[in-house]
């Protein structure tokens, strides 16, 4: 992978922040965009825009082709069987809420179980809390090991014949853990439950094959994988989606409307009420082209190498606590620097042009498990370099020094 | 952006040696607030008597900015009437907007003026003041 050539394609990276070249280590929150994605969106608005699935004029069909073309790209990117198994949403959060509201609320009843983990992002936790509250189903957590991972034996024990839904993240946005979702899906299916995968952190970095995983639903966001904000998708198996009722009603999703009764279009349209996020879907398609050109396996390897390097360099710093296991981690490292509050760490790094995330990372229950109120996180993507990790370490040394005599 | 603007010596001193850290008697007014974006939290306790704040203490978790701000706030608010306390909270908001304001007789707070150059950190500085405002408004209802 030619990092210099890749970096060249990201206009935002070539600027100074607070007098220093930008070191962007916050891609797990949102990645930057290559020129090709920015251009695709511009070109769409300059040449092709109109509403979709409505007009019979030329622009109407260009826009429709662009939008549906993007759906086909997503389907093949995830190796879905059919394009109609892809529903465009605003992102992971809306996609997971769609499964919770349209599937789980109608399936769960008192005595049923929904099984998740304590490492879930709020987006894959609160919707299930709400389903449990609304239906009387029980929310159950697979117990975590001290390093934050879980064992398949514990998954076997937690998932029972009462389980209707198992939901879990593929990659933890705090611990960097890659969960064995394929194995868990098999356990879920043996017990008659559906498997929901939060793919927000996996889709940007690794080859994803929803048929190989045999998950029933898979959610992801475009903005974390070089695409625009406001677009993401839900993959669902056709047999399941076809039985689900829409949760938003109005234009575009209807088939026939009478005064007191109406019918819906087929999937995926019945879940896409209103004018869809056309330009951003086009941008997502361009992001997929870009990522595939680089190669998902290459990206996966690169981000893992950077994370492993960062893990080792951080371990050498006295007073640093790193969260999550050392082995097999995806491209991020979450840590704390002695007594220095992560906010203060992030602010000092910012003055050096280094962007990292500080806070609870939308994982408050996981923070509680780790016994901290917040942490700092450096997350890597295909445009990051080892040299940037070195800059991070230098910034942290400076932070230590600064707070060392300020508060030590 | 200069770190020294943000982390003035007074601030670090309050962070390292927070004043009024702890808890008051059980009958004190207690306000718990958190900063949902970062997980910082504060429990502010006010002892009130006839429209007067006679004592204040705080506990909780936070960064240097939020804890030093709480330390300063609890110092300055003691002995103030509810109206005076609210006025101080307004003044603090102005300070966060970068307006030149003076806290006569208690200049430590002015050291936090640098926070306005770090917009991401304003929420840290205002957490304890929001708790104060909430506590007093509850008493006035
Ligand atoms: C694991 C995980 N799930 C869900 C989300 C939510 O994604 P979005 O905000 O794009 O809906 C995120 C993003 O932070 C995430 O990291």
């Amino acid at each position: 992978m030619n990092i210099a050539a890749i970096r060249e394609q990201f206009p935002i990276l070539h600027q100074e922040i607070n007098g220093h070249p930008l070191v962007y280590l916050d891609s797990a929150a949102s990645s930057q965009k290559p020129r090709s994605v920015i251009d695709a969106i511009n070109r769409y608005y300059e040449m092709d825009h109109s509403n979709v699935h409505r007009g019979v004029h030329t622009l109407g069909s260009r826009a429709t082709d662009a939008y549906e073309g993007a759906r086909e790209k997503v389907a093949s990117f995830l190796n879905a069987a059919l394009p109609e198994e892809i529903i465009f949403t605003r992102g992971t959060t809306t996609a997971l809420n769609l499964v919770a509201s349209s599937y789980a609320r109608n399936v769960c009843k008192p005595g049923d179980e929904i099984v998740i983990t304590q490492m879930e992002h709020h987006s894959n936790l609160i919707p299930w809390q709400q389903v449990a509250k609304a239906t009387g189903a029980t929310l159950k957590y697979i117990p975590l090991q001290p390093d934050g991972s879980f064992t398949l034996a514990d998954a076997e024990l937690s998932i029972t014949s009462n389980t209707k839904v198992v939901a879990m993240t593929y990659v933890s946005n705090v611990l960097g853990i890659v969960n064995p979702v394929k194995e868990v899906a098999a356990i879920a299916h043996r017990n008659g439950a559906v498997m929901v995968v939060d793919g927000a952190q996996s889709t940007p970095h690794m080859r994803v094959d929803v048929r190989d995983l045999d998950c029933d639903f898979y959610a992801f966001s475009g903005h974390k994988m070089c695409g625009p904000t406001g677009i993401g998708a839900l993959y669902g198996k056709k047999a399941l989606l076809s039985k689900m009722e829409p949760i938003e009603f109005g234009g575009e999703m209807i088939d026939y409307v009478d005064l007191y009764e109406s019918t819906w279009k087929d999937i995926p349209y019945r879940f896409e009420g209103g004018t869809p996020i056309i330009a951003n879907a086009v941008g997502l398609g361009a992001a997929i082209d870009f990522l595939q050109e680089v190669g998902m396996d290459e990206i996966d390897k690169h981000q893992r190498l950077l994370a492993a390097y960062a893990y080792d360099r951080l371990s050498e710093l006295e007073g640093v606590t790193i969260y999550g296991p050392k082995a097999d981690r995806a491209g991020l490292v979450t840590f704390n620097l002695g007594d220095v509050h992560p906010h203060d760490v992030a602010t000092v790094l910012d003055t050096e042009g280094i962007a990292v995330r500080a806070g609870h990372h939308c994982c408050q229950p996981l923070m509680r498990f780790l016994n901290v109120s917040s942490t700092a996180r450096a997350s890597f993507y295909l445009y990051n370099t080892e040299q940037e990790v070195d800059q991070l370490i230098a910034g942290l040394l400076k932070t230590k020094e600064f707070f060392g005599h300020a508060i030590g | 952006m200069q770190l020294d603007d943000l982390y003035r010596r007074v601030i670090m001193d309050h962070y390292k040696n927070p004043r009024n850290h702890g808890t008051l008697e059980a009958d004190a007014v207690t306000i718990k607030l958190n900063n949902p974006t970062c997980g910082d939290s504060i429990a502010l306790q006010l002892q009130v008597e006839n429209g007067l704040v006679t004592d204040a203490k705080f506990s909780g978790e936070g960064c240097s900015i939020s804890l030093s701000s709480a330390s300063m706030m609890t110092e300055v608010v003691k002995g103030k009437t509810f109206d005076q306390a609210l006025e101080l909270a307004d003044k603090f908001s102005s300070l966060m907007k970068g307006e030149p304001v003076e806290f006569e007789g208690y200049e430590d707070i002015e050291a936090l003026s640098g926070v306005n150059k770090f917009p991401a950190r304003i929420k840290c500085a205002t957490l304890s003041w929001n708790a104060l405002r909430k506590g007093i408004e509850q008493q006035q209802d």
Side-chain angles (χ1 to χ4, degrees), chain B residues 90-100 113 116 122:
Chain B
D90 287 344
K91 255 193 179 179
F92 192 77
S93 302
S94 306
L95 189 73
M96 290 299 106
K97 288 182 198 130
E99 292 162 18
S113 64
N116 98 80
I122 292 176

Side-chain angles (χ1 to χ4, degrees), chain A residues 151-169:
Chain A
T151 65
L152 282 175
D154 279 335
E156 287 275 6
L157 287 175
S158 303
I159 301 166
T160 73
S161 58
N162 292 327
T163 308
K164 289 288 183 293
V165 176
V166 179
M168 114 179 5
T169 190

